Amino acid sequence: FLFLYLRSAQHPYLNEAAPATWDALLAVIRRAPYPVRTPCDDPTVYHGAGNPGRSLTLIGLQLQEYLLYFNWQWAKGLATAIPIGRGGLAFPLRTLVTLLFLYLGVRGTLLQRRTDRAGWWLLFVLWLITGLGLVAYMNFKPAFSLGYGQYPNPADHEVRDRDYFFLVSFAVWGLWAGIGLTGLVRDWLQSGRARLRTGLGVLCVGALIPVALNWRAATRRGPDAMLPADVAYDLLNTAPPYGILVTYGDNDTFPLWWAQRVEGIRRDVTIVCLALGQTEWYMRQLRDLPTEPFDEAAAPSVWRGRHPTMPTWPLHTMSDEEIAAAVPQMISRNSSVQVGPVVATIPAGTVLDPNDFLMLRIVQQNAGRRPIVWSTTTGRQFSGLRRYVVQQGLGFRLVTTPTDSEPTPIAAPPLDEPLTHQLAWDTYRYSGLLDRESPDLEPSSAGFTRALAMPFTRLALAAEQRGDAAAVRANLERAVRLSPDPAIQAALDRYRFSSP
């Protein structure tokens, strides 16, 4: 925390929470910018009188989440399963390894308790607090990988799997498993059934099992490792020169910041994170952030030769007082708000959050002057400006004339086909996914591949409408390579067998 305090006073490019004063630092320690969530709340509902409370269903899912993460620790890279009977059932070998380390850990904790009671109490309390204790205290939403039968809405789940929160408890279990393995080998040697060399070999093999069986899942060499960097490159290059790119949260923002500040990719693009747009410090920083020049020589060919003019005005003009006054409000009747050259349509009953006020002011200041692009990861709300967006690759760009007189919530915005084709086929990077069979990706990476496949499915639909079967097949083949969706595969099979 002291480091945060000292760093913030140097005004770095990314100054999260801006804890440059003691009061601001205390707010960070207390997590004041985040909504209240107590251990008794239903985490999918805002804290308050209407919260129904933590249910047994939720507690069951949270315990299941901890067991899932425990199962990942010992052999996550082992994907083989043993068939059981003729019904298509199979027992994963990963679970067999987990049961082995569960047994060794139980054996180890009992052995330590008999021989070193004080040390056992230390490790037991540490394991309890950082394992089941954190399950109770953190009160997470259902896991990213679990519980969609009970909670089908993705917003009711954590944005990623949170296994790293329980790392210390897994490390303690690893210590107990080591003690258990050592005790097992010792008993084996004392029984006279093995020599010392054999016992040491068993110890080494047991110690290396998690290393060997997790290597494939943790080498950081496959698509899982490359996707964040390539998605960052793709999203940044979705925006035209000096574009404003709207993102949603951690997964689609931190990789972009890394690409800009570390790799120097498209620093001319201003990133607006909607999740952080709920905070006053971020609104102030966006206002005061200088625009950096467009490096045409380093940009992909799609954006070269345009000779854009560098903006000299702030991203928005909200004063500190206006920022402080931007609190959630419900719109009581249908409203149309003139925002620069466009009109935002806000239905009755809509709750405008601080980031909605921020986006409306950004649009007011920049529409027609700077390109504004919502990433596909933000959804399709567009702050009441749905009639004024067209899809371009992985983004939805604001235009100044209506594209549809009666847009519907489920209809996709119109597609800029030529630009999307150039971005998807010639500009974007895909982490080698197009050159291999579909790999086994972790869930958040799989979510990225679904987003990467979407421009190709839109291009396939556009080709189908003009009767270009070859283009339909080519785009669907790429979409399936990126994200093996059964519906896309069925459409591709239909074209393969019905078209010459």
Side-chain angles (χ1 to χ4, degrees), residues 62-312:
Q62 290 163 347
L63 292 173
Q64 186 180 349
E65 175 183 14
Y66 179 80
L67 293 176
L68 172 69
Y69 299 156
F70 182 88
N71 189 36
W72 286 0
Q73 304 307 307
W74 320 107
K76 192 173 189 294
L78 185 61
T80 309
I82 303 173
I84 302 175
R86 298 181 179 179
L89 298 177
F91 184 80
L93 286 179
R94 175 196 300 172
T95 303
L96 192 62
V97 178
T98 298
L99 291 175
L100 170 63
F101 277 86
L102 182 65
Y103 163 74
L104 291 174
V106 171
R107 184 182 177 92
T109 188
L110 295 176
L111 178 59
Q112 187 191 27
R113 192 172 190 275
R114 289 197 305 269
T115 57
D116 179 13
R117 184 64 65 92
W120 176 84
W121 272 112
L122 173 66
L123 288 187
F124 177 73
V125 173
L126 183 62
W127 173 79
L128 196 64
I129 290 174
T130 59
L132 298 179
L134 275 184
V135 171
Y137 176 72
M138 296 301 294
N139 191 15
F140 285 132
K141 296 178 182 180
F144 186 84
S145 303
L146 294 173
Y148 287 91
Q150 300 92 328
Y151 293 89
N153 185 359
D156 290 337
H157 293 255
E158 295 294 326
V159 297
R160 71 184 67 81
D161 284 307
R162 305 286 195 179
D163 52 314
Y164 46 86
F165 270 90
F166 307 107
L167 174 64
V168 175
S169 75
F170 301 144
V172 170
W173 197 270
L175 290 173
W176 280 333
I179 294 173
L181 179 62
T182 304
L184 191 66
V185 170
R186 183 194 63 187
D187 294 344
W188 192 25
L189 292 173
Q190 289 178 348
S191 69
R193 286 177 288 182
R195 297 183 178 181
L196 180 61
R197 184 180 302 173
T198 305
L200 292 176
V202 172
L203 277 176
C204 291
V205 170
L208 290 174
I209 283 177
V211 176
L213 297 184
N214 276 328
W215 186 262
R216 180 174 172 268
T219 59
R220 300 296 188 264
R221 291 179 180 175
D224 276 330
M226 296 187 293
L227 264 172
D230 282 357
V231 169
Y233 177 89
D234 297 346
L235 287 176
L236 287 171
N237 282 304
T238 297
Y242 297 117
I244 299 166
L245 180 63
V246 185
T247 60
Y248 180 74
D250 293 356
N251 287 2
D252 62 348
T253 304
F254 277 90
L256 276 63
W257 283 339
W258 168 85
Q260 285 187 321
R261 309 323 303 177
V262 177
E263 296 295 312
I265 297 171
R266 295 298 308 276
R267 289 188 174 184
D268 62 289
V269 174
T270 300
I271 299 168
V272 177
C273 176
L274 292 179
L276 295 178
Q278 304 283 56
T279 64
E280 295 182 20
W281 63 265
Y282 185 67
M283 293 191 202
R284 292 193 296 268
Q285 287 186 28
L286 283 178
R287 179 194 61 199
D288 301 334
L289 196 67
T291 304
E292 299 194 37
F294 172 62
D295 185 355
E296 184 161 342
S301 59
V302 66
W303 301 125
R304 293 178 194 161
R306 300 185 178 228
H307 308 295
T309 301
M310 183 173 176
T312 57

